[in-house]
Amino acid sequence: GDSVTQTEGPVTLSEGTSLTVNCSYETKQYPTLFWYVQYPGEGPQLLFKVPKANEKGSSRGFEATYNKEATSFHLQKASVQESDSAVYYCALSGGSNYKLTFGKGTLLTVTP
Amino acid sequence: NSKVIQTPRYLVKGQGQKAKMRCIPEKGHPVVFWYQQNKNNEFKFLINFQNQEVLQQIDMTEKRFSAECPSNSPCSLEIQSSEAGDSALYLCASRGQGPNERLFFGHGTKLSVL
C-alpha cells in the first residue's frame, strides 16, 4: 500500500532560521502530494498541494517540489516565525478511492 | 474556518458503551472520510463514502464500528462497544469528486474511554 515517511520531530528553531522537513513516499499510483498543517484543537488544514511531478507548490513562504525520481516532497521555509509553530503533515492521494495517506507528522516549535 | 461541522467536540464513555459522533460535510461534497488520530498525532483511515455508498473501510471499522452517510442527514460514526484503545480524536473530512481535490477537515470529536 501507499506510505509516507517524514522527518521525526520535534523540531525546535529560533525565529528567522530556515526549516526543512523531509518527506519521502511510496506508491504505485500517480499521486497528488500535499502538505497539511494542524494547530492545537483544530483539524488539519491544507498548506498547499502539487498534482504534477517536477512542479513546485508554495504558500505563506513554505514551498516544496514534487520530485518523482527521488520520490520526495521536502518542505522548506527560509525564515520561520513563531506563528509557524504547529504540526506539519506530508500526505499523498492516489487511486480510485480518494484516500489520503499521511506521514506521522513533524511538530515544529519556533522560539522568539 | 472549517465548513465541516463535527459534533460533539468532546465525548466521554465507559468501556463497553456505545459512542456516536456526527459530521456535516461541506455543502456539495460527495466524498466523506473518517480518520482516527491518536495521541502521537498519527492518522488511521477508518472509512470513506461517496454519496451514501461505502468506498473503502478497514477491518476494525467493519467489525466494531458502524458508519453511514444518509442523504439529507448528517454522517455518523458509532463505536458499538468502546474500548480504552479507542480514545482518540476522530476527524471527519469531505472533498469534491475531482482527481486532485483537497480534503477539508472538521475540528474533530475527542473521545475519551474511561
Side-chain angles (χ1 to χ4, degrees):
Chain A
D2 299 341
S3 69
V4 176
T5 304
Q6 62 181 99
T7 300
E8 286 196 25
V11 173
T12 302
L13 297 173
S14 299
E15 240 181 353
T17 59
S18 65
L19 168 73
T20 298
V21 180
N22 290 331
C23 171
S24 61
Y25 64 90
E26 289 186 26
T27 180
K28 294 181 180 178
Q29 312 290 341
Y30 295 95
T32 294
L33 300 179
F34 302 80
W35 276 101
Y36 276 82
V37 59
Q38 187 175 24
Y39 299 99
E42 297 182 12
Q45 53 187 268
L46 180 71
L47 192 54
F48 56 84
K49 67 178 182 182
V50 180
K52 291 184 180 177
N54 303 320
E55 292 191 353
K56 181 190 288 187
S58 64
S59 174
R60 302 189 237 165
F62 292 91
E63 62 180 31
T65 299
Y66 184 155
N67 188 327
K68 185 180 176 185
E69 289 69 36
T71 62
S72 68
F73 191 52
H74 306 318
L75 181 69
Q76 295 180 311
K77 187 172 185 180
S79 176
V80 295
Q81 302 170 349
E82 197 174 350
S83 58
D84 294 330
S85 298
V87 182
Y88 292 82
Y89 297 92
C90 184
L92 71 83
S93 178
S96 59
N97 286 335
Y98 309 111
K99 191 173 79 171
L100 197 62
T101 299
F102 287 90
K104 291 187 176 181
T106 302
L107 173 62
L108 170 65
T109 302
V110 180
T111 58
Chain B
N1 288 332
S2 175
K3 295 178 183 177
V4 176
I5 308 300
Q6 289 190 248
T7 56
R9 286 294 295 265
Y10 302 94
L11 192 55
V12 180
K13 294 291 179 182
Q15 293 195 50
Q17 290 187 317
K18 287 188 180 182
K20 188 169 186 175
M21 54 204 85
R22 292 177 175 82
C23 169
I24 300 174
E26 184 158 338
K27 190 174 181 180
H29 283 184
V31 184
V32 176
F33 289 74
W34 287 98
Y35 282 88
Q36 180 194 66
Q37 187 178 28
N38 66 20
K39 62 181 180 180
N40 295 321
N41 291 325
E42 296 166 339
F43 288 87
K44 179 186 286 185
F45 166 82
L46 296 177
I47 189 169
N48 61 347
F49 294 83
Q50 183 165 347
N51 298 313
Q52 293 79 51
E53 302 297 320
V54 175
L55 285 176
Q56 189 177 1
Q57 62 181 322
I58 62 172
D59 283 351
M60 179 180 83
T61 308
E62 198 167 347
K63 290 174 185 173
R64 296 202 303 112
F65 292 57
S66 62
E68 60 177 2
C69 265
S71 60
N72 301 317
S73 292
C75 298
S76 64
L77 179 70
E78 184 173 38
I79 306 173
Q80 298 302 309
S81 179
S82 300
E83 301 173 357
D86 295 329
S87 296
L89 182 67
Y90 289 84
L91 289 161
C92 177
S94 70
R95 58 166 278 172
Q97 205 166 328
N100 302 314
E101 297 276 339
R102 58 183 275 195
L103 279 185
F104 290 80
F105 284 85
H107 287 122
T109 293
K110 186 172 183 180
L111 172 65
S112 300
V113 181
L114 305 177

